[in-house]
Amino acid sequence: MNELALFNSLFDDMDDGLSFPTFNFRKAFQTPRVDVKENEKSYVLEMDMPGKTEKDVNIELNNNVLTISSVKEDKKEEKSSKKEDGKWLIKERSYSSFSRSFTLPDDVDSDKLAASVKNGILTITMPRKEIAAAKHIAITAA
């Protein structure tokens, strides 16, 4: 499997395969950006998660598909009788959600995935399975 299998398709929004993908501005700005790198021992996925903690993020692995999602809703506003609290004129930051899925390469050891959040960046380390060494098969004369 090639290294591009980690990336979800740019053309997921295509209807019939003949049209260009649609561009959803709201979805584009709400979906966190991802960097993926690899080395000999593992793949490392880093996703921007500003303002989110480990409690705000859900990570699932199902049939070799890694899905990272989050739904964050502000708590219901309680009315205050204090005039100094003020009233909202514009309130656009009350709800956010996203979901991204990545098909993992076959050499990922799914039992050893590890995730952490630090300084607004989610890091998922995906160790590679050890590849079995080639075996030498002795040939006997018949």
Side-chain angles (χ1 to χ4, degrees):
M1 175 168 279
N2 68 29
E3 58 271 7
L4 295 178
L6 279 169
F7 299 100
N8 52 343
S9 174
L10 172 65
F11 299 101
D12 282 343
D13 294 332
M14 291 178 67
D15 296 338
D16 56 9
L18 300 174
S19 63
F20 287 100
T22 58
F23 186 76
N24 182 334
F25 283 99
R26 177 166 287 189
K27 182 179 177 183
F29 291 111
Q30 288 179 347
T31 305
R33 299 294 174 234
V34 172
D35 294 329
V36 179
K37 62 184 173 182
E38 70 173 318
N39 58 43
E40 292 177 8
K41 296 182 180 182
S42 66
Y43 298 94
V44 178
L45 181 146
E46 294 179 337
M47 178 181 280
D48 291 337
M49 304 290 290
K52 297 197 185 296
T53 66
E54 66 278 358
K55 296 175 185 174
D56 301 324
V57 181
N58 184 40
I59 302 172
E60 293 182 4
L61 182 63
N62 188 11
N63 293 325
N64 219 30
V65 175
L66 180 72
T67 301
I68 306 166
S69 61
S70 174
V71 176
K72 187 169 183 178
E73 199 169 344
D74 282 347
K75 294 179 182 175
K76 201 168 189 179
E77 207 176 297
E78 292 185 22
K79 293 187 178 183
S80 174
S81 60
K82 297 179 186 177
K83 287 189 177 186
E84 57 209 41
D85 284 347
K87 65 178 182 175
W88 290 104
L89 299 177
I90 299 173
K91 186 167 170 111
E92 297 177 335
R93 300 181 301 139
S94 61
Y95 177 82
S96 67
S97 68
F98 74 87
S99 179
R100 292 203 58 185
S101 295
F102 304 89
T103 302
L104 301 182
D106 292 332
D107 66 341
V108 169
D109 188 348
S110 61
D111 294 331
K112 295 183 180 177
L113 295 181
S116 64
V117 176
K118 183 177 180 182
N119 297 329
I121 297 176
L122 171 68
T123 302
I124 301 175
T125 304
M126 302 168 276
R128 291 181 171 199
K129 295 177 186 173
E130 291 194 28
I131 300 171
K135 293 182 180 181
H136 180 71
I137 302 172
I139 302 172
T140 57

